[in-house]
Amino acid sequence: MAPVPESVLSVGATLGEGPVWVARDAALWFVDIKEKRIHRFDPDLGVARSWDAPGQVGWIVPAQDGSFAVGLQSGVHRFDPDAAGFTLLHAPEADRPGNRLNDATVDPAGGLWFGSMDDGEEADSGRFYRLHQGRLTESGLPPVSITNGPAVSPDGTLLYHTDTLGRRIWRTRIAADGTLHDTALFAEIEDGAGYPDGPTVDAEGCLWTGLFAGWAVRRYDPAGGLMAEVRFPVANVTKIAFGGPDLSTAYATTARKGLTRDQLLAQPCAGDLFAFDPGARGQTSYIAAI
């Protein structure tokens, strides 16, 4: 039988994004970009805690010293949950005030990959970056309007990155020095199926992508072939993360953004955090060496 996603946290996010399972906390962390909120969900207790951010927050990942790296509109910050404090580390696009940071992942070496985007979702001003041990570099990938991902293969040699408005997911090889080579189209979402949002790669090297306005998440094999689709009771599925002690539960963030009043009435769980059995296990969430 097909998995049936169920709401596990009624958070009503305007734009839920960036879920990541943090093993040291045994908790799922995620953000609500438009409401400028960071959320922590403890599934064993069924409770959540939230923090206000000083700007639109696109992602959160664990960092080496027990803190977190977060992507605000103004740049990459260190976030201390105990003090509820934010410290700016890098402002890669201080000259582009219309941009914001949008999605991120950490590779096996601790490198933090993240993207930017036009907050107005029109101009091709979004770029991808890597931050590792204090060194920030631009990827050299072509700019697009809305970046999503990146996501990294289990062996750390492939980078998947998404052009959301172009409905394309690309795959690029990562060299030992972190440079990128040999970009090729990995998958293209057909008209009417929604827009590819946040990608995640499982332990088998298969890619999962949320479909914004597509009512689903999809799983693709390492060659780009469609393997499965999991349907949701809400239209805007943004990203999944694998969690739980054996990384066998899929958690999915969703969004209310762009829905009319009538659509919201028909989708009372829009913006909630969902969970389902994916029939696969996830990769370990690596710690960012920022």
Side-chain angles (χ1 to χ4, degrees):
M1 295 180 62
V4 179
E6 296 183 355
S7 172
V8 293
L9 182 64
S10 182
V11 67
T14 299
L15 186 52
E17 257 291 5
V20 60
W21 180 259
V22 180
R24 69 191 183 202
D25 300 331
L28 186 88
W29 292 75
F30 64 103
V31 303
D32 183 345
I33 297 174
K34 293 301 180 182
E35 299 304 322
K36 306 173 186 177
R37 300 280 283 171
I38 294 171
H39 298 288
R40 168 181 165 156
F41 174 61
D42 295 80
D44 287 345
L45 301 176
V47 298
R49 184 181 174 192
S50 301
W51 291 259
D52 290 322
Q56 293 188 85
V57 53
W59 46 263
I60 179 168
V61 297
Q64 285 182 331
D65 62 355
S67 67
F68 290 83
V70 299
L72 299 181
Q73 184 159 8
S74 55
V76 180
H77 288 65
R78 188 185 302 277
F79 168 57
D80 178 357
D82 293 334
F86 297 81
T87 303
L88 179 64
L89 300 176
H90 293 277
E93 298 186 349
D95 60 333
R96 300 178 199 141
N99 270 15
R100 63 172 176 82
L101 303 188
N102 191 49
D103 198 5
T105 196
V106 181
D107 64 30
L112 170 62
W113 296 87
F114 62 94
S116 65
M117 62 170 280
D118 173 27
D119 196 36
E121 303 180 7
E122 294 180 353
D124 288 341
S125 58
R127 289 168 171 80
F128 289 101
Y129 299 88
R130 185 176 189 256
L131 174 61
H132 187 232
Q133 297 181 342
R135 181 170 179 260
L136 180 71
T137 55
E138 188 174 332
S139 69
L141 296 172
V144 297
S145 177
I146 301 177
T147 64
N148 261 293
V152 178
S153 63
D155 63 3
T157 64
L158 297 173
L159 186 79
Y160 299 90
H161 45 99
T162 299
D163 173 4
T164 293
L165 292 187
R167 294 195 177 100
R168 294 180 177 91
I169 302 170
W170 300 86
R171 180 179 60 205
T172 301
R173 296 196 175 277
I174 308 173
D177 62 359
T179 57
L180 302 179
H181 306 275
D182 303 327
T183 298
L185 182 65
F186 174 75
E188 187 167 8
I189 307 302
E190 69 274 16
D191 288 350
Y195 296 86
D197 209 310
T200 304
V201 179
D202 64 26
E204 299 173 26
C206 300
L207 182 138
W208 297 73
T209 183
L211 293 176
F212 198 95
W215 300 83
V217 297
R218 285 183 174 180
R219 187 189 191 203
Y220 290 87
D221 66 28
L226 179 61
M227 299 177 68
E229 183 174 271
V230 179
R231 303 297 295 177
F232 276 68
V234 296
N236 300 329
V237 187
T238 54
K239 188 172 184 177
I240 75 163
F242 294 89
D246 58 358
L247 301 177
S248 63
T249 299
Y251 291 96
T253 48
T254 65
R256 297 166 61 89
K257 181 178 180 289
L259 299 179
T260 66
R261 181 178 178 181
D262 287 345
Q263 289 171 328
L264 289 170
L265 288 173
Q267 302 174 46
C269 292
D272 286 1
L273 179 69
F274 285 78
F276 65 94
D277 180 358
R281 294 189 178 185
Q283 299 185 62
T284 297
S285 295
Y286 296 104
I287 307 299
I290 55 176

